Amino acid sequence: MCIVKGKDEDLCQNYIRVLAIPAQGSLLSCGTNAFRPLCRTYSINGNNYTVETEKPGQAMCPYDPTHNSTAVFVDNELYSGTVADFSGLDPIIYREHLQTEQYDSLSLNAPNFVGSFTQGDFVYFFFRETAVEFINCGKAIFSRVARVCKWDKGGPNRLKNRWTSYLKSRLNCSMPGDFPFYFDEIQSTSNLVEGRYGHANSKLIYGVFSTAPNAIAGSAICAFSLQEISDTFEGNFKEQSGLNSNWLPVNPLNVPDPRPGSCHNDSRTLPDLTLNFKKTHSLMDETVPAFFGSPILTRVSTMYRFTAIAVDPQIKTPGGKTYDVIFVGTDHGKILKTVNAESADSNKKVTSVVIEEIDALQTNEPIRTLEIVRTTQYDTPKDGSYDDGKLIIVTDTTVLAIKLHRCSSEKITSCSECVALQDPYCAWDKIVGKCRSHGAPRWSEENVFYQSVATGDHAACPSGKMAKDANVVERQGYRDLEYDPQRPFRDQPADKIQFNSENYNDKGPQITPDLINAQYTVETLVMAVLAGAIFALLVGFITGYFCGRRCHKDEDDNLPYPDTEYEYFEQRQNVNRIQAEPKLLPQVEEVTYAEPVLLPQPSSQNKMQHSPKNTLRKPMGHHHGVNSETLFQFQPDNYNNARDNYRGRDNFGTLRSHQVYL
């Protein structure tokens, strides 16, 4: 039936899109089931699975396996953001018996869901959608965060199956300035992270954003505070008073009480005024700002865009500072490992440090999901190493696990190389004399382990300054190894990262510090540019001089047809000569034309008549007889006045006029 409805055979399979653990020993699974969503609850007993319940998965699982959906299991209830029909035109945020308004662009306007989580009394959803508030100015995609109350029971009467607490707000991930540059399309979110940033504790959610597919290719990582998200939902509402009006904030005096969108003990008792206001005012006026004031990392690259994100929170370094280590997947199969070097000291500044760029995949498949899985405790060694987790990489065809760090690589042989990594997982053990990873004995002692995430330079390392200078470009977050001429092709062994699937083990790709040594100073480059400019000027001057001498001509040579006796030039000379005399306006005799009469073919006895010389103008005689040397003759004029003496005829019968002044 799926194929009959026009779907591709590959899509008409069963793709698992929802997995949740309702209770210990139980598993909830929902699949597309050839565009007929189906959910089952399994009982797990050792290696055996037994089906307990089965029900339709409509509104819990998408029909199309390529559709962007999300789900989270909270308090024995499944909250989902997906579509509820075969065509994918009915978006929905659903919990059993409750849903958003159907076919209402004010609630959901063609959304693509990317993540969800729960915190406190609310469940939060992240998605991108067509911006209804921008519709009068064109079409645009905005990133959103929406929330619903876990205790929502629906409204009274006809609203008993509708959310009474649904609200949404825009996420602002942009480069700050007078004219901000926006990354409007959210692609993925991390789990909720709680930690200390600067001098305060905060709960953050990280997300990757990108520009539109037909715009300048760009991606960014932004963090958002849960407190600022909650403050936005407590702010002003946004409304459009008329069809052609702008969207403006609602006057707080016009907001009914109890406030729409809040949690209530029994939402079925809410007054109609509150419910009707919420139905048309689900959008908030204020946007959620980026936590650190700007994106943590931005990339402008035609080779890839960010697609997935995972965060290992609050990794403690020697000295007591903590950092969030961020892993980002791309649509080109790359893994970027980055950190904000200022996060331990300030929550208003960003210094991007790209620790690694890993080609972990043999192909350029898009990375769909990243997940961090812990295998051992921090202080528990395993087989002599101190590995404390794995990064799970999921693509359409592959599931791969790699280490979170490569601190123990044999290519890292000195203190400066280890510190220059700026990796919170790695520090130089001065007692053992090697680079070791997070979780090693005495890790928190700063006099035993040398590390500097902020600068990549430590005073105790002999070559610390060189390592710092070499890593400046990485800390700015703009280096793109795809354009590095020193980097080999994918099929060749790389100096920075080596990966071979044949002898691959769980240690993952290997890494060494990437030192970039400057070959020319600024003074040398300036002198080279000046010398090149002066040389170009000299060559241009000499070439122009010789070309001018070679191509020079006299002024007489430039006159057109100097030897041709044209009456045009004679008339111009006569006119110039006559106009030079200051007289009254002259009476000019009109020029008349006589029609030429073609003579019979002359006798062939005189062969000179066919000579080209015969075509030249001959002196005019005083007789009117037939001239054998002329080609044309004209009938005599009927005018026999004295002015005929001033007339002359040319060989083509034109009566030449002389100007007579009275």
Side-chain angles (χ1 to χ4, degrees):
M1 184 59 68
C2 177
I3 298 176
V4 172
K5 291 183 178 180
K7 298 301 181 179
D8 187 82
E9 184 177 358
D10 291 338
L11 300 179
C12 293
Q13 309 296 327
N14 187 28
Y15 294 87
I16 304 301
R17 295 301 309 273
V18 176
L19 280 176
I21 302 177
Q24 186 68 27
S26 181
L27 177 66
L28 173 64
S29 174
C30 297
T32 59
N33 191 34
F35 283 78
R36 291 177 299 176
L38 185 67
C39 291
R40 287 177 177 176
T41 302
Y42 293 90
S43 175
I44 304 175
N45 186 10
N47 295 328
N48 298 323
Y49 293 82
T50 304
V51 177
E52 290 185 348
T53 59
E54 180 178 299
K55 62 181 179 180
Q58 184 182 17
M60 293 184 287
C61 177
Y63 287 72
D64 192 333
T66 62
H67 189 273
N68 291 322
S69 301
T70 184
V72 58
F73 199 85
V74 180
D75 296 336
N76 207 33
E77 297 278 356
L78 183 67
Y79 293 76
S80 62
T82 183
V83 291
D85 64 341
F86 181 88
S87 62
L89 300 179
D90 183 16
I92 187 173
I93 292 179
Y94 177 80
R95 189 192 73 189
E96 191 169 0
H97 304 310
L98 286 181
Q99 66 177 66
T100 49
E101 289 291 337
Q102 192 174 25
Y103 305 115
D104 182 12
S105 60
L106 295 179
S107 296
L108 294 171
N109 192 12
N112 282 272
F113 296 94
V114 299
S116 57
F117 70 92
T118 181
Q119 180 65 29
D121 293 334
F122 297 96
V123 178
Y124 297 85
F125 294 86
F126 293 83
F127 57 94
R128 59 184 185 271
E129 68 171 352
T130 303
V132 66
E133 70 268 32
F134 198 77
I135 200 68
N136 288 343
C137 302
K139 184 177 181 180
I141 304 296
F142 286 171
S143 297
R144 307 285 197 196
V145 54
R147 77 175 189 183
V148 293
C149 179
K150 292 190 293 185
W151 320 121
D152 197 332
K153 299 179 182 179
N157 303 325
R158 62 184 181 86
L159 298 178
K160 62 181 180 179
N161 294 328
R162 296 294 186 265
W163 294 105
T164 64
S165 57
Y166 172 77
L167 296 176
K168 65 180 179 179
S169 182
R170 182 186 178 185
L171 297 172
N172 181 4
C173 181
S174 62
M175 296 296 296
D178 294 335
F179 301 94
F181 183 84
Y182 290 93
F183 300 89
D184 279 328
E185 300 194 12
I186 189 170
Q187 302 295 330
S188 179
T189 58
S190 69
N191 297 325
L192 187 64
V193 173
E194 184 175 2
R196 187 170 185 83
Y197 306 93
H199 304 289
N201 294 331
S202 299
K203 296 179 181 179
L204 304 183
I205 185 79
Y206 289 84
V208 292
F209 296 75
S210 68
T211 56
N214 60 340
I216 299 174
S219 301
I221 304 173
C222 285
F224 300 94
S225 169
L226 184 62
Q227 182 61 49
E228 290 178 336
I229 293 175
S230 300
D231 292 343
T232 301
F233 287 123
E234 298 300 325
N236 294 330
F237 293 90
K238 205 180 191 74
E239 71 173 355
Q240 186 184 33
S241 59
L243 183 62
N244 296 320
S245 303
N246 292 329
W247 286 76
L248 300 174
V250 178
N251 190 332
L253 298 177
N254 296 332
V255 178
D257 187 39
R259 181 182 172 88
S262 301
C263 275
H264 303 280
N265 293 331
D266 189 353
S267 59
R268 294 171 293 186
T269 61
L270 290 173
D272 291 341
L273 185 62
T274 297
L275 296 174
N276 292 332
F277 183 89
K278 198 254 23 156
K279 184 177 179 180
T280 57
H281 295 79
S282 59
L283 180 62
M284 309 308 297
D285 179 60
E286 297 179 1
T287 62
V288 183
F291 178 68
F292 295 102
S294 64
I296 297 172
L297 176 67
T298 59
R299 279 295 171 94
V300 177
S301 173
T302 59
M303 302 304 298
Y304 59 79
R305 295 173 185 259
F306 296 165
T307 58
I309 187 171
V311 177
D312 197 4
Q314 298 298 286
I315 301 301
K316 184 177 291 187
T317 62
K321 294 183 178 180
T322 56
Y323 298 89
D324 293 340
V325 182
I326 305 170
F327 296 87
V328 181
T330 71
D331 60 359
H332 206 62
K334 285 182 176 290
I335 301 292
L336 276 69
K337 179 180 174 182
T338 184
V339 68
N340 178 15
E342 298 285 351
S343 62
D345 301 317
S346 173
N347 59 3
K348 301 297 183 182
K349 297 180 181 179
V350 172
T351 299
S352 302
V353 177
V354 178
I355 303 169
E356 300 180 70
E357 289 191 15
I358 310 172
D359 288 327
L361 301 174
Q362 293 269 318
T363 60
N364 298 332
E365 289 185 89
I367 295 175
R368 303 300 184 187
T369 304
L370 293 176
E371 192 73 28
I372 295 175
V373 177
R374 295 292 177 191
T375 57
T376 60
Q377 297 296 324
Y378 286 140
D379 299 328
T380 304
K382 180 182 178 182
D383 300 332
S385 64
Y386 299 94
D387 177 25
D388 57 355
K390 293 289 189 298
L391 177 67
I392 308 299
I393 305 169
V394 180
T395 69
D396 291 336
T397 61
T398 306
V399 177
L400 180 67
I402 65 173
K403 290 182 61 176
L404 298 177
H405 55 78
R406 275 140 291 280
C407 304
S408 58
S409 172
E410 297 178 355
K411 293 186 177 182
I412 304 176
T413 59
S414 66
C415 175
S416 60
E417 291 177 348
C418 183
V419 174
L421 294 176
Q422 295 179 268
D423 192 338
Y425 293 121
C426 305
W428 182 259
D429 189 342
K430 73 171 186 177
I431 298 177
V432 180
K434 62 183 298 185
C435 195
R436 304 187 72 177
S437 64
H438 182 277
R442 305 177 65 183
W443 172 262
S444 60
E445 298 182 19
E446 195 174 8
N447 59 346
V448 176
F449 286 91
Y450 298 152
Q451 185 191 62
S452 178
V453 175
T455 64
D457 180 19
H458 198 281
C461 297
S463 302
K465 187 176 187 304
M466 181 184 68
K468 176 182 177 181
D469 295 339
N471 209 27
V472 168
V473 178
E474 290 287 358
R475 287 189 285 112
Q476 297 300 325
Y478 293 108
R479 186 174 182 211
D480 192 346
L481 294 182
E482 197 69 33
Y483 301 101
D484 190 353
Q486 304 295 331
R487 184 174 181 267
F489 293 101
R490 181 181 295 271
D491 296 333
Q492 299 177 0
D495 292 335
K496 184 176 180 181
I497 296 175
Q498 296 179 347
F499 181 79
N500 188 348
S501 62
E502 296 180 357
N503 54 7
Y504 176 78
N505 52 34
D506 62 350
K507 295 183 179 180
Q510 302 298 317
I511 181 174
T512 58
D514 187 11
L515 301 181
I516 307 171
N517 297 324
Q519 297 180 359
Y520 302 101
T521 62
V522 177
E523 292 80 3
T524 303
L525 293 176
V526 171
M527 293 298 296
V529 172
L530 292 177
I534 295 173
F535 178 75
L537 289 175
L538 291 176
V539 172
F541 176 77
I542 295 172
T543 303
Y545 175 77
F546 283 105
C547 289
R549 288 290 302 272
R550 194 176 190 87
C551 300
H552 179 69
K553 292 184 179 182
D554 296 332
E555 294 181 1
D556 295 340
D557 296 336
N558 295 330
L559 293 175
Y561 309 104
D563 298 332
T564 306
E565 296 180 359
Y566 282 102
E567 292 181 351
Y568 171 77
F569 297 105
E570 294 178 2
Q571 293 176 3
R572 291 294 301 269
Q573 294 175 1
N574 293 335
V575 171
N576 294 337
R577 182 167 58 252
I578 292 172
Q579 290 179 353
E581 299 178 2
K583 293 183 179 182
L584 297 176
L585 293 175
Q587 295 182 358
V588 181
E589 182 181 356
E590 295 181 356
V591 178
T592 60
Y593 297 89
E595 295 184 0
V597 178
L598 185 65
L599 294 179
Q601 181 68 24
S603 177
S604 62
Q605 295 177 359
N606 189 1
K607 298 182 178 180
M608 293 300 294
Q609 293 178 357
H610 300 283
S611 173
K613 183 179 180 181
N614 199 36
T615 62
L616 298 177
R617 183 171 57 85
K618 300 299 183 180
M620 298 299 297
H622 298 283
H623 60 277
H624 299 281
V626 177
N627 189 349
S628 61
E629 294 181 356
T630 60
L631 295 177
F632 297 91
Q633 284 191 359
F634 301 87
Q635 296 178 0
D637 297 324
N638 295 327
Y639 299 97
N640 295 323
N641 51 36
R643 287 180 294 181
D644 289 346
N645 295 330
Y646 296 97
R647 293 186 179 183
R649 297 177 185 272
D650 59 11
N651 292 342
F652 294 90
T654 303
L655 292 178
R656 298 179 57 197
S657 172
H658 292 272
Q659 299 176 352
V660 179
Y661 302 90
L662 300 179

